[in-house]
Structures are given as structure tokens and as C-alpha cells.
Amino acid sequence: MDINRIITLDEFIIRQQNEFAGATGELTGLLRDIGVAAKIVNREVNRAGLVNILGIEGTENQSGDVVQKLDLYANEKLIECLKNSGECCAIASEEIENFIELPGIHDKPAKYVVLFDPLDGSSNIDVNVSVGTIFSIFRRKSDFTGPSNIGDFLQTGLEQVAAGYVIYGTSTILVYTTGHGVNGFTLDPSIGEFCLSHRNIQIPKRGQYYSVNQGYYLKFDLEMRRYIDHCSDLNLGLRYIGSMVSDVHRILFQGGIFLYPSTRKYPNGKLRLLYECNPMAFIVEQAGGKAINNHLNRILEIDPKELHQRSTIAIGSPDMVDEMKAFVERYSAVTS
Ligand code: AMP
Ligand code: P6P
């Protein structure tokens, strides 16, 4: 077979299904519909400056971020596509306070729930800096014949069936894992398909960049300031876009470490555990990296207590996360 032959996302997803005897195609359908939603959101993100969906909606979301119109558009499109899939029984979104049950199709009970941040890094939208969509898929735990409940969402990251992100940048790339490695697909606008472009992504053991909002340096705990000083001593470059998807995407390919530590404004960290930290941690671990919080707990093992709970995070190259861990152990008074 021609190794240069195009492999579309749909083809790849279906091939993966064939590895699972007895698979019904439900997860395949769900993943493919998320791919469709990504293409729809991509179309609007790319023309946001041309149509009246820039600017601020004026409301605030669960993170207290002022909601941009494109956030709401992306949120609506993801919900629409997941509704049409019939494979998702309920969703949770950064833009919505509680989870939403989705009606079944042909009375077939769906077995998956999906959590997502529809447009991460949305403060960058109006200045044409890359933003992204992050999603996380779990098997529901509630009885299939009954309604969904919050327990379907409050699962540890280790229980994720799939996780992925779409980065709307110089090109639009969808990266996802189902626990069997990480693969990246670049959207070819000329054929309207995501095509396999980054097979079996492996994160470098270390990198030349660290990524943190240096502006908060004086607000970080001592151990974090010491680690950041260490990064400077190593002459590492600082790269921080202010969009987690973009910052972690760079690290996945070039190596490095992304940090969002505890600050006075966000003592438990700013990023959301269920639809930012967990999916990105699943992807990075599957690529050979690590993801822990400031208490040195593995992100994927944190037992969630509420839908929009926040977490501190250090995520990226394994050797660099280990080094940061050593600094926390050496300088922090309490590590558990
Ligand atoms: P399903 O019957 O479609 O819900 O699939 C059952 C299980 O098989 C899923 O929860 C996955 O663990 C695995 N699986 C099925 N389809 C796929 C796929 N396209 N890619 C990766 N894993 C899959
Ligand atoms: P700060 C975007 O609003 C976001 O949720 C993440 O994508 C990003 O990493 C972080 O917040 C940036 O936060 O406090 O540095 O502006």
C-alpha cells in the first residue's frame, strides 16, 4: 500500500474500531461526530473577523471568563453534533452550569457522556491568536435505562475512554487518544477532511521551553519560584500563549513543561480538572509525558468532587515534570 496514501480521520477511527471485537460502532460514531463539530467550529473561527461573531457576548461562564460570541457558537455546534450522534446521553461544558441530558435517538440508550471546553483560550480570539476545543469521553456509570446523573461525570481521568483537542491555528489539527497512543490529523480545507499527519506522537523527554504566566511569578509559592528560577538558570526559553491547548500542543511536539500553579486569585489553580486538565493529561501521558498537580498527585488519579472544579497543573516532558517534582519536595512545607 502506498505509505503516502491519505488516511482520513474517519478511516482511522473505523480501523481502530476493528481492533475491538464486539465493538458496536457507538464510540466510532461519537468520535466521527466530534470531528464534524470541529470542522464546523473551524469554519467560523477562520472567518470570525468577517462576520459579526467577534466581540463579547457580555455574559460570564463557569470560569468567570467573559464569554465571547464564538465561545457560544462553538458550544452550540458541539451540542448539536453530539445530539445528532445519538451516542451521547449527556454533556457538560465550561459554558454551562450543570450537565445536560441529550434525548436518545430511536429510543436507543446511549452509553457515553462528553465533557468539553468549546473554545479554550477565547481571550485570544479577537487578536487572531490560536484557540482550541478540548473534549473528554467517559462511559456512563448510571443505569442505561434511567437518566444520567452527576456521577457519570465525576470520574477520575483514568476512566476516560477518549480525549482530544482541536487547535485552530496556522492549520487546524485534531489530536486524540483512546488509550492506545496519540495521533494528530490536519484539516485539508481543499477536501474538507482531517488527514493523518502525526502518527503515534511521542513527547520528547525534555525541551528547551517552559510555559507559565511569568507575570504572576511573585504570586507563586516559593517552590514554584525556585523551579522557574532553575528553568532560567538552564537558559530555557519562555513560551506562553495564554491558551492551554496551544501551549501544551507545542510541548507535545517540541518538549517542555506547562505550569499553572496556585496563585492568590486561583489558590486551587485556574484550569478546570474535568475538561482541561484531565483530557490534556490523558493525551500527554499516552505520548510518554507526565501531568501532576502542585501536591504531586497524578492529575488522572484526582477524585473529582464537582463539575467545574479547578486544579493546579504541571504537564509535559517526563524528565522536566520529575525535576519540578524534586523542587516541590525540596522547598515546600506541605506536599500532600
Ligand atoms: P462501542 O461498542 O462502540 O461502544 O465500543 C466498545 C469499546 O471498544 C469502546 O469503549 C472502546 O474501548 C473500544 N472501541 C470501540 N471503537 C473504537 C474506536 N473507533 N477507537 C478506539 N477504541 C474503540
Ligand atoms: P492566564 C484561557 O482562558 C485559559 O483557561 C487557558 O487556556 C490558559 O492556559 C489560561 O486560561 C491562561 O490564564 O491567567 O495566564 O491568563
Side-chain angles (χ1 to χ4, degrees):
M1 179 183 76
D2 174 2
I3 55 167
N4 297 319
R5 191 173 69 77
I6 288 176
I7 297 178
T8 65
L9 173 64
D10 282 0
E11 186 180 345
F12 185 89
I13 292 171
I14 290 167
R15 279 200 201 163
Q16 293 275 303
Q17 176 186 335
N18 296 337
E19 305 290 314
F20 298 86
T24 61
E26 291 170 79
L27 181 64
T28 290
L30 186 52
L31 290 168
R32 292 176 66 179
D33 283 302
I34 290 174
V36 170
K39 286 191 251 186
I40 295 172
V41 172
N42 172 70
R43 182 189 61 198
E44 294 310 309
V45 166
N46 281 347
R47 63 180 197 155
L50 304 173
V51 296
N52 180 28
I53 51 174
L54 276 179
I56 291 185
E57 178 69 19
T59 56
E60 281 196 353
N61 63 21
Q62 298 308 315
S63 298
D65 293 336
V66 179
V67 177
Q68 307 263 9
K69 288 179 182 174
L70 210 47
D71 285 71
L72 290 181
Y73 178 85
N75 192 55
E76 282 159 26
K77 289 305 160 193
L78 271 156
I79 294 172
E80 233 172 78
C81 289
L82 290 170
K83 246 185 216 162
N84 298 341
S85 85
E87 309 302 357
C88 171
C89 63
I91 61 107
S93 164
E94 175 174 49
E95 301 303 338
I96 305 169
E97 185 173 352
N98 296 309
F99 70 87
I100 297 180
E101 286 210 80
L102 299 182
I105 293 183
H106 315 309
D107 295 331
K108 181 172 76 72
K111 64 182 166 194
Y112 294 110
V113 298
V114 181
L115 301 98
F116 53 82
D117 182 353
L119 215 60
D120 176 69
S122 51
S123 56
N124 291 316
I125 294 170
D126 282 349
V127 291
N128 203 30
V129 173
S130 53
V131 292
T133 296
I134 312 174
F135 66 88
S136 170
I137 302 176
F138 287 99
R139 256 177 226 91
R140 71 184 296 182
K141 292 170 72 174
S142 53
D143 183 324
F144 283 21
T145 56
S148 313
N149 62 48
I150 190 66
D152 293 331
F153 296 92
L154 300 184
Q155 303 186 51
T156 65
L158 288 173
E159 299 300 314
Q160 290 176 99
V161 172
Y165 65 82
V166 185
I167 179 168
Y168 309 101
T170 43
S171 54
T172 295
I173 299 178
L174 184 147
V175 174
Y176 87 100
T177 184
T178 57
H180 306 279
V182 181
N183 293 280
F185 301 80
T186 301
L187 183 63
D188 179 341
S190 67
I191 56 173
E193 291 286 359
F194 279 105
C195 302
L196 182 61
S197 51
H198 303 83
R199 188 190 288 269
N200 191 24
I201 299 167
Q202 298 290 315
I203 190 170
K205 287 201 169 307
R206 61 174 50 251
Q208 292 311 305
Y209 298 120
Y210 70 103
S211 184
V212 69
N213 189 327
Q214 194 82 17
Y216 303 155
Y217 175 84
L218 295 175
K219 300 176 179 67
F220 294 149
D221 297 336
L222 170 64
E223 64 271 17
M224 205 46 66
R225 280 182 274 134
R226 287 291 170 271
Y227 175 67
I228 292 170
D229 295 342
H230 173 66
C231 291
S232 298
D233 294 342
L234 293 176
N235 293 318
L236 296 184
L238 172 62
R239 291 286 185 280
Y240 192 74
I241 298 174
S243 157
M244 183 193 197
V245 172
S246 310
D247 285 316
V248 176
H249 181 76
R250 178 198 325 101
I251 287 166
L252 195 61
F253 288 91
Q254 296 181 344
I257 187 168
F258 172 85
L259 306 162
Y260 207 108
S262 166
T263 64
R264 267 183 233 126
K265 182 177 180 184
Y266 297 112
N268 297 317
K270 175 184 181 185
L271 300 177
R272 302 296 182 167
L273 174 63
L274 291 181
Y275 43 79
E276 289 177 310
C277 298
N278 266 344
M280 299 310 276
F282 187 19
I283 291 164
V284 167
E285 283 204 7
Q286 279 290 309
K290 291 190 174 182
I292 60 174
N293 66 9
N294 279 8
H295 297 293
L296 311 185
N297 304 120
R298 187 180 172 201
I299 292 289
L300 294 181
E301 291 177 355
I302 296 174
D303 214 4
K305 297 290 181 281
E306 56 178 50
L307 209 47
H308 301 285
Q309 84 181 56
R310 301 177 188 272
S311 174
T312 55
I313 188 167
I315 182 171
S317 294
D319 293 1
M320 297 178 81
V321 173
D322 286 345
E323 229 167 48
M324 174 262 175
K325 189 172 171 210
F327 271 80
V328 172
E329 285 166 340
R330 192 180 312 155
Y331 288 105
S332 71
V334 177
T335 57
S336 60

